[in-house]
Amino acid sequence: MGFTPTETIWFNGALVPWADAKVHVLAHGLHYGTGVFEGMRCYLTSEGPAVFRLDAHLERFYQSAAVYELPIPYSLDQLAEATLALVRANKMENAYLRPIAFFDAGTLAVWTKECPVTVAIAGFPTTKYLANADQGVRVTISSIRKYPSNAIPASAKACGQYINSARAVQEAQRKGFDEAILLNQRGEVSEGSGENIFVVKNGAIVTNDASADILMGVTRDTMLQLAKDLGIRAEVRAVTVDDLMTADELFFSGTAVEVTPIREIDGHIVSGGKPGLVTQRIQQTFEAAVRGKRPEYRKWLSFARQAVSHV
Ligand code: PMP
């Protein structure tokens, strides 16, 4: 997902030109990964652009910040308004949005109390995150294990955590795969480098939860809600490598990948090498929901054109 610059970035309370949203090389977050972020999407609907599940993402943003004792000097409502203002200012239609808050330059000690906090929200037009997403992706089970939540809480979305994901996806791409699946320290399936995983077995969907050291994805939650409404049985429990190998279908969920079928794991063909029917049903419902075509899911959309007060 390369990015095409947009006109402005929301940076510490104001919209500034893209090229001016810079940080100092001694930013604490750069050295020690002491920052938190979100990934959200804006979709073009018949009523203009709308951010999908903005509140859920921003709630997780504040929860992640709380774990790292990072005080965000704006309220959730202010950041929600800032996000919509950014979408409007850049005339965004289908976009990926990236709020970030981190400890900025103040000390090179590991402690954070002397560091100011910087908050920014950037966005850019979306492109496909994973190659081959439409036909299904080819994945490998990584030799790199997921860090345990008793060291770094996986349910917080912190910058430094992604060195674990980056190594796993580097290894996967080096081996010619699209994406990695990480196992946790107990050898159970955890998640992809940037997405949650779903198994389809006998018409039901199965996914794991926080006890498997995953990020509790907003899209994962959306999947469970859509499955319920579609009358598809959903089971939340530990997922094993055996579950992957005996699955009828497999798919990833995540803001960047949306619903992406998995067609191969380490040479093992899943679902005949093509997207399965349950996956497609959920994928189509998700697509209709994010595009504002399903009234029951309008509650998940924040329309950018709505009048908002000045941030
Ligand atoms: N797991 C990880 C490690 C991720 O980075 C992401 C992307 N934020 C997800 C799962 C999916 O989360 P969400 O559906 O909220 O985007």
Side-chain angles (χ1 to χ4, degrees):
M1 193 187 259
F3 49 72
T4 312
T6 53
E7 237 168 79
T8 57
I9 289 179
W10 189 90
F11 194 64
N12 286 331
L15 288 167
V16 305
W18 173 282
D20 295 349
K22 290 183 180 157
V23 293
H24 197 270
V25 74
L26 291 184
H28 200 273
L30 177 63
H31 293 256
Y32 305 123
T34 47
V36 299
F37 67 100
E38 269 306 316
M40 318 189 285
R41 267 185 192 252
C42 168
Y43 291 93
L44 186 59
T45 74
S46 60
E47 293 157 78
V51 179
F52 187 66
R53 303 206 62 180
L54 177 59
D55 288 349
H57 282 287
L58 290 180
E59 276 161 24
R60 188 173 65 187
F61 190 52
Y62 284 88
Q63 282 163 13
S64 302
V67 169
Y68 292 94
E69 301 180 25
L70 195 156
I72 296 179
Y74 303 96
S75 68
L76 191 149
D77 285 349
Q78 283 176 312
L79 291 190
E81 289 186 2
T83 305
L84 299 177
L86 180 81
V87 169
R88 278 194 304 273
N90 291 296
K91 299 183 176 54
M92 287 170 176
E93 294 186 337
N94 297 300
Y96 182 81
L97 299 163
R98 167 56 58 91
I100 185 165
F102 57 90
F103 287 109
D104 213 328
T107 178
L108 271 188
V110 176
W111 57 77
T112 55
K113 61 188 177 189
E114 292 160 54
C115 298
V117 171
T118 283
V119 186
I121 310 170
F124 46 84
T126 27
T127 50
K128 278 262 172 265
Y129 182 71
L130 294 177
N132 314 313
D134 295 338
Q135 316 93 289
V137 292
R138 299 176 53 249
V139 304
T140 183
I141 296 177
S142 184
S143 71
I144 293 151
R145 291 284 172 105
K146 178 86 192 212
Y147 51 79
S149 285
N150 61 7
I152 299 171
S155 55
K157 196 167 169 64
C159 300
Q161 294 173 216
Y162 282 80
I163 53 175
N164 182 227
S165 286
R167 287 194 69 220
V169 77
Q170 281 170 343
E171 180 195 56
Q173 292 181 349
R174 197 186 326 121
K175 290 178 165 178
F177 292 95
D178 301 310
E179 181 55 297
I181 291 176
L182 289 89
L183 305 183
N184 64 21
Q185 300 296 310
R186 295 185 298 276
E188 302 159 352
V189 173
S190 182
E191 59 183 343
S193 73
E195 50 284 303
N196 294 119
I197 191 159
F198 280 81
V199 171
V200 180
K201 184 78 184 170
N202 300 326
I205 61 168
V206 184
T207 198
N208 51 14
D209 64 10
S211 62
D213 305 309
I214 64 165
L215 180 74
M216 295 289 273
V218 174
T219 323
R220 171 191 174 280
D221 179 73
T222 304
M223 300 291 100
L224 292 172
Q225 186 64 54
L226 296 184
K228 194 170 167 217
D229 296 348
L230 288 167
I232 297 170
R233 196 162 53 80
E235 228 181 292
V236 175
R237 61 160 169 83
V239 172
T240 62
V241 172
D242 203 51
D243 288 321
L244 301 186
M245 293 303 167
T246 58
D248 297 331
E249 305 172 24
L250 291 174
F251 63 88
F252 281 133
S253 77
T255 298
V257 300
E258 301 171 298
V259 182
T260 292
I262 297 171
R263 68 179 156 101
E264 186 196 311
I265 309 179
D266 290 315
H268 169 86
I269 304 298
V270 182
S271 179
K274 52 186 193 321
L277 290 178
V278 175
T279 306
Q280 286 181 59
R281 241 183 114 198
I282 293 178
Q283 202 172 22
Q284 283 156 10
T285 312
F286 178 78
E287 178 65 18
V290 299
R291 296 280 168 198
K293 292 181 183 160
R294 295 287 293 263
E296 67 271 44
Y297 303 124
R298 273 182 70 95
K299 60 183 181 197
W300 284 337
L301 297 174
S302 297
F303 292 92
R305 296 248 160 79
Q306 286 162 7
V308 294
S309 62
H310 184 70
V311 178

